[in-house]
């Protein structure tokens, strides 16, 4: 066997999986799920085929944002351990290829969502892509420790888009679904930043843990967790909420607040001693938190259809 039989990542031709990785499939799953919930709990029916098409192009729009993010952030992704395997870092896909793919998918997703549903949903999707790529990726991420707070809006729009795809409007309920994800984003990402602080420091990303330290970050996590709990309960009082959702929301938020308090009480020495165990558990809990709240909106909606849910 000769050396010529071996290839590096840079030498190997990119495959479908490499291009799919550009779309950030894990993030896309959250986009799809929250948009799907927003669509189903909207106060009007939607043709199943139209709904499927709408979800498809919302997902593609979310993936386009991911590709454009990897194009712009290729330099800092190469300095962070958790992003070293991204295709734009390994060389499987060049940043320019990611850029072309991202722009192409952005245009296709917005136009097709407009043709399939309405201009409100398409405009929200276009604004989401613009916000994530330009406002967050190109500006906030490298400029301010509030990057996650303001930039979190980009990931919070999908349920509003799903709702608008059905109704063509924006209401209190859809805004509160947006607010739930928006308020969830800071404690979710800051808990991650507590145990990957060096990654952000090495890449010169002004995450709160880098600019103000872990103690300030812990204070912020606790504050935003209380705000999040208020939004979650408020959502339960709208037309898409109900007693079943409310019971789960109260219990889940009590658990989440306890986790934030546990983080707030810790000192850096405690965290370093156990490998950031509490912070890692809180981060995993935050993933369950969002899926459970949106899942319970679906449960409440299903109960309403049988006359068992709602206020």
């Amino acid at each position: 066997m000769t050396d010529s039989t071996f290839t590096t990542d840079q030498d190997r031709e990119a495959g479908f999986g490499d291009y799919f990785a550009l779309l950030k499939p894990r993030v896309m799953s959250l986009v799809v799920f929250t948009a799907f919930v927003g669509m189903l709990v909207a106060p009007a029916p939607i043709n199943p085929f139209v709904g499927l098409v709408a979800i498809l192009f919302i997902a593609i729009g979310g993936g386009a944002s991911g590709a454009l993010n990897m194009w712009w952030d290729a330099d800092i992704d190469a300095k962070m351990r958790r992003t070293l395997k991204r295709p734009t870092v390994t060389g499987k896909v060049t940043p320019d290829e990611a850029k072309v793919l991202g722009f192409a998918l952005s245009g296709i997703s917005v136009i097709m969502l407009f043709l399939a549903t309405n201009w409100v949903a398409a405009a929200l999707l276009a604004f989401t892509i613009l916000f994530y790529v330009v406002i967050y990726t190109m500006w906030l991420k490298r400029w301010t420790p509030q990057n996650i707070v303001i930039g979190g809006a980009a990931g919070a729009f999908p349920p509003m888009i799903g709702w608008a795809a059905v109704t063509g409007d924006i209401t209190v309920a859809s805004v509160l679904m947006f607010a739930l994800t928006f308020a969830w984003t800071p404690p979710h990402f800051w808990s991650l930043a507590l145990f990957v602080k060096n990654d952000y420091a090495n890449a010169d990303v002004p995450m709160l843990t880098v600019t103000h330290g872990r103690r300030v970050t812990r204070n912020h996590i606790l504050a935003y967790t209380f705000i999040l709990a208020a939004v979650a309960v408020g959502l339960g009082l709208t037309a898409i909420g109900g007693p079943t959702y409310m019971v789960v929301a109260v219990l889940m938020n009590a658990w989440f607040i306890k986790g934030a308090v546990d983080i707030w009480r810790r000192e850096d020495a405690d965290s370093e001693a156990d490998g950031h165990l509490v912070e890692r558990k809180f981060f995993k809990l935050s993933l369950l938190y969002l899926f459970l709240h949106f899942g319970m909106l679906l449960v409440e909606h299903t109960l309403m259809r049988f006359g068992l849910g709602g206020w």
Side-chain angles (χ1 to χ4, degrees), residues 18-31:
D18 301 318
Y19 288 104
F20 184 64
L22 287 175
L23 309 184
K24 294 188 176 182
R26 286 189 293 181
V27 176
M28 189 191 295
S29 67
L30 177 62
V31 168

Side-chain angles (χ1 to χ4, degrees), residues 92-246:
K92 294 176 183 176
V93 179
T94 69
D96 281 345
E97 289 174 324
K99 176 177 67 174
V100 171
L101 180 64
F103 278 121
L105 293 181
S106 296
I108 291 170
S109 62
V110 172
I111 292 170
M112 293 304 297
L113 186 62
F114 168 70
L115 294 175
T117 59
N118 56 71
W119 72 268
V120 177
L124 284 172
L125 179 59
F127 181 74
T128 300
I129 297 171
L130 177 70
F131 194 98
Y132 184 74
V133 176
V134 177
I135 304 299
Y136 171 67
T137 300
M138 295 184 177
W139 179 36
L140 295 172
K141 185 173 183 178
R142 302 176 187 233
W143 177 67
T144 172
Q146 294 300 309
N147 46 23
I148 286 301
V149 179
I150 306 170
F157 278 112
M160 289 185 71
I161 300 172
W163 180 284
V166 177
T167 66
D169 64 11
I170 297 171
T171 66
V172 171
S174 69
V175 170
L176 282 175
M177 283 192 288
F178 164 90
L180 181 68
T181 308
F182 182 74
W184 165 85
T185 303
H188 169 69
F189 275 101
W190 280 333
S191 62
L192 171 68
L194 285 172
F195 57 86
V196 296
K197 175 184 176 181
N198 292 338
D199 259 13
Y200 291 114
N202 293 337
D204 295 320
V205 176
M207 191 62 75
L208 192 63
T209 48
V210 176
T211 61
H212 291 72
R214 288 193 175 104
R215 169 43 54 198
V216 171
T217 304
R218 295 178 196 280
N219 295 342
H220 278 62
I221 288 174
L222 183 61
Y224 274 92
T225 297
F226 281 112
I227 295 172
L228 175 61
V231 172
V233 172
L235 180 59
L237 297 175
T238 66
I240 63 174
T244 305
Y245 166 90
M246 189 65 81

Side-chain angles (χ1 to χ4, degrees), residues 46-91:
I46 186 171
N47 179 280
F49 178 74
V50 173
L52 179 63
V53 170
I55 288 295
L56 172 63
F57 288 107
I58 292 170
I60 290 175
S65 298
L68 290 171
N69 173 269
M70 288 196 197
W71 155 57
W72 190 262
D73 278 351
D75 60 330
I76 64 175
D77 285 345
K79 301 176 183 177
M80 300 174 64
R81 286 180 300 172
R82 69 187 190 89
T83 55
L84 282 176
K85 294 184 178 180
R86 286 181 174 177
T88 47
V89 176
T90 63

